[in-house]
Amino acid sequence: KGEGNIVRVEMEGKTKADIPHPTQMAFLGAGLIVAHSRILRDVPYDPFLPWCFMGEEIALSIRAWTSGWNIYAPKLNLIGHHYRPLSLGLP
């Protein structure tokens, strides 16, 4: 899906529920990253995109993967949030 020219990644819980281990993923969610602090040294936030919000997770995922980090998702959703346009008001 896209917003203007921004690619949006949505997995919508399509991981099989009966697998015994976390699933390796292509993208990370910046709202919940569980990793050794070394990731901040290996994959610092991009200084050339200081105000990037939509698209930051894709860029961070690509840079983490190409720096040797594997990305996994937990078997259960642990945290989430809902984006809602301001034009719709508060939920």
Side-chain angles (χ1 to χ4, degrees):
K1 294 182 178 182
E3 293 184 42
N5 293 324
I6 303 293
V7 175
R8 187 173 204 151
V9 178
E10 295 184 11
M11 293 302 295
E12 299 177 4
K14 294 187 173 42
T15 302
K16 293 181 182 178
D18 61 344
I19 59 172
H21 49 77
T23 303
Q24 192 165 12
M25 305 296 288
F27 301 100
L28 58 81
L32 177 65
I33 300 173
V34 179
H36 191 279
S37 62
R38 192 171 49 238
I39 196 170
L40 297 173
R41 184 189 66 222
D42 293 350
V43 190
Y45 286 96
D46 192 333
F48 299 105
L49 299 174
W51 305 110
C52 179
F53 181 72
M54 294 301 291
E56 72 162 308
E57 293 166 328
I58 296 170
L60 189 59
S61 299
I62 292 167
R63 293 173 39 247
W65 179 262
T66 58
S67 294
W69 288 86
N70 292 325
I71 302 166
Y72 294 91
K75 290 175 55 177
L76 299 172
N77 287 333
L78 301 173
I79 190 170
H81 56 87
H82 177 71
Y83 289 104
R84 186 179 173 104
L86 290 176
S87 61
L88 295 177
L90 296 174

